[in-house]
Amino acid sequence: MNILVTGGAGFIGSHTLIELYKAGHTALVVDNLYNAKAEALHRVEEILNSQFSTLNSQFSTLNSQFSIPFVQADIRDREALENIFRQNEKIVNGQVVNGFDACIHFAGLKAVGESVAKPLEYYENNMNGTFVLLDVLRRHGCKNIIFSSSATVYGDPNEIPITENCPKGQCTNPYGQTKSMLEQVLTDVQKADNEWNVVLLRYFNPIGAHPSGRIGENPNGIPNNLMPYITQVAVGKREKLGVFGNDYPTHDGTGVRDYIHVVDLARAHVAALQAIERKQGLAVYNIGTGHGYSVLDVVKAFERVNKVPIPYAIMPRRAGDIATCYCNPKKAELELGWKAQFDLDDMCRDSWNWQRNNPNGY
Ligand code: NAD
Ligand code: UFG
């Protein structure tokens, strides 16, 4: 399939490009580089070039380096999106047809804390960006979309492990609200026109990096999330980790989450294309491992696997955090044949491999 990948230069998008190409798909990336660097795409190309021999025959015949088509544009820019569609049309039986089989929609702002401080910017970017994108997709007859949703839509879940039948909950921040509202928008769009195939992937906590250490998570400023903070302590950029609360009702009092290796998450997108090929209409999947680890479990695993000490101090709870969040990922396994392959040790090893080889990111 030829896939339009919005936000493809970002953390999850860049890893997904590798898995798409390895599975024989092709992609065009549209990203405004607000939270990414073009260098990430160059590194994706480098990784794919080094794996050339195992790639699909359409590439193995090429001696030259191949490049991933990339347009630096904002998805709120309708004209830019229209141009991308016009320039990628193909001729089939003498007819001009749309050149994209599906869209994987990663583009969006994602920092929870920042979204509380800048709600308008978050609503405007994430909602309007998706509205413009959906309208252009529809106009060009590309009615297949995989949307990056989040475990955050469950709020404080009333059932653990969380299944897809668990009702959506109250999101505590504007970022989460955009995910929840966009799920509803996509659901309504599909309901109104059953030519659409919509896959909502609810990611749990993506960490890790490509095992090559060439691409990984590259947060701006002080990291909000646990693993990038740990790796920055490990590399000496931060003195110690603050553990946000040790009085939760969990086995050691610290928050429990379902961490998933970003390469497993990337592969879930390739698997989700099957739901589109089968014309499943609307489909929702939890994408996690089904295992819950506490903050201190992650710290200990990181220290053991990488033999690097992570000093930490217990701090007050962080506003909006919940005690425990992990999923039942069986639906994705049964319907898509997708199951996470990497464990917490792999995630700690690959996160550190990326950070230590790229102490200042890209
Ligand atoms: P990221 O910030 O690394 O990637 C998002 C990309 O979208 C960036 O490259 C950014 O430049 C781009 N972008 C943002 N707004 C844009 C716009 N208006 N037009 C064009 N490009 C735009 O984030 P990520 O971690 O790779 O996340 C990808 C998606 O997955 C996001 O939608 C995020 O909300 C969702 N998600 C992430 C997590 C996580 O923990 N990383 C968890 C659940 C869901
Ligand atoms: N934590 C710390 N110290 C830190 C950072 C985090 O103790 O410096 C703790 C948190 O309190 C929580 C756990 O580590 O218990 C995980 O926190 P993250 O910030 O890494 O992840 P969250 O579960 O809070 O949220 C992440 C994304 C959300 C997404 C959610 C579910 O940030 O966007 O996963 O996918 F919605």
Side-chain angles (χ1 to χ4, degrees):
M1 289 174 125
N2 189 31
I3 319 288
L4 178 68
V5 181
T6 74
F11 172 45
I12 303 169
S14 55
H15 289 81
T16 302
L17 290 171
I18 293 175
E19 301 307 318
L20 285 171
Y21 274 86
K22 280 172 70 178
H25 301 292
T26 52
L28 180 146
V29 172
V30 53
D31 196 306
N32 63 2
L33 300 183
Y34 176 82
N35 196 37
K37 297 269 181 349
E39 174 64 14
L41 295 174
H42 299 146
R43 300 222 184 152
V44 168
E45 290 165 352
E46 171 201 297
I47 292 166
L48 287 170
N49 278 317
S50 74
Q51 297 184 353
F52 240 55
S53 54
T54 55
L55 280 177
N56 191 292
S57 58
Q58 64 183 307
F59 303 118
S60 59
T61 52
L62 298 176
N63 286 324
S64 58
Q65 307 276 303
F66 77 88
S67 59
I68 295 171
F70 168 53
V71 178
Q72 183 176 346
D74 195 296
I75 56 165
R76 290 167 293 179
D77 181 346
R78 181 180 293 272
E79 199 42 44
L81 289 189
E82 287 286 350
N83 277 337
I84 292 172
F85 271 89
R86 275 196 294 269
Q87 286 162 8
N88 286 276
E89 282 167 347
K90 45 185 194 187
I91 311 279
V92 175
N93 298 332
Q95 301 263 50
V96 178
V97 296
N98 145 52
F100 294 105
D101 302 296
C103 173
I104 302 182
H105 179 29
F106 295 109
L109 301 179
K110 64 159 186 177
V112 171
E114 188 183 60
S115 79
V116 176
K118 296 180 175 176
L120 259 185
E121 283 79 356
Y122 269 68
Y123 285 119
E124 210 278 317
N125 188 77
N126 293 3
M127 303 302 296
N128 273 354
T130 306
F131 294 156
V132 174
L133 176 70
L134 288 176
D135 192 37
V136 174
L137 290 173
R138 176 174 64 173
R139 276 177 34 74
H140 290 269
C142 177
K143 296 185 179 176
N144 296 318
I145 187 165
I146 296 174
F147 176 63
S148 297
S149 189
S150 166
T152 199
V153 301
Y154 292 113
D156 196 351
N158 55 15
E159 154 193 319
I160 294 281
I162 305 169
T163 67
E164 292 81 354
N165 294 329
C166 186
K168 282 164 70 178
Q170 189 57 46
C171 295
T172 55
N173 57 80
Y175 163 73
Q177 295 285 8
T178 68
K179 291 295 170 194
S180 189
M181 291 191 291
L182 287 170
E183 279 202 357
Q184 190 61 51
V185 168
L186 283 154
T187 301
D188 291 342
V189 165
Q190 197 284 328
K191 203 190 284 177
D193 175 357
N194 64 15
E195 283 181 13
W196 278 92
N197 295 291
V198 170
V199 186
L200 307 176
L201 296 184
R202 293 177 177 159
Y203 311 159
F204 280 66
N205 287 59
I207 59 171
H210 191 267
S212 65
R214 296 295 290 155
I215 58 170
E217 193 168 6
N218 188 31
N220 285 326
I222 302 172
N224 298 299
N225 298 118
L226 180 64
M227 185 54 88
Y229 206 105
I230 289 177
T231 60
Q232 292 202 4
V233 171
V235 85
K237 287 179 116 176
R238 317 248 161 230
E239 187 193 337
K240 57 176 184 268
L241 172 74
V243 174
F244 299 143
N246 67 347
D247 56 353
Y248 285 105
T250 63
H251 64 273
D252 61 13
T254 65
V256 166
R257 297 290 183 275
D258 188 336
Y259 296 96
I260 175 167
H261 196 295
V262 65
V263 172
D264 274 328
L265 175 55
R267 290 177 183 159
H269 295 81
V270 179
L273 289 172
Q274 293 169 41
I276 282 180
E277 276 175 320
R278 287 201 295 262
K279 301 197 183 308
Q280 264 182 240
L282 177 73
V284 186
Y285 298 103
N286 286 337
I287 303 296
T289 64
H291 300 291
Y293 291 102
S294 73
V295 176
L296 293 182
D297 291 336
V298 176
V299 170
K300 282 181 209 147
F302 190 94
E303 291 184 319
R304 178 174 45 75
V305 169
N306 298 316
K307 303 187 174 38
V308 186
I310 304 296
Y312 67 84
I314 304 297
M315 313 267 283
R317 290 183 178 193
R318 183 171 68 179
D321 272 357
I322 56 174
T324 302
C325 178
Y326 61 90
C327 76
N328 177 337
K330 279 280 170 223
K331 189 179 177 209
E333 185 180 351
L334 286 173
E335 294 187 11
L336 304 175
W338 173 88
K339 190 176 183 217
Q341 304 296 319
F342 294 101
D343 63 16
L344 182 62
D345 284 9
D346 299 317
M347 300 179 217
C348 291
R349 183 199 58 226
D350 291 336
S351 292
W352 177 227
N353 187 37
W354 153 253
Q355 180 77 79
R356 115 186 117 93
N357 285 305
N358 305 270
N360 298 312
Y362 289 111

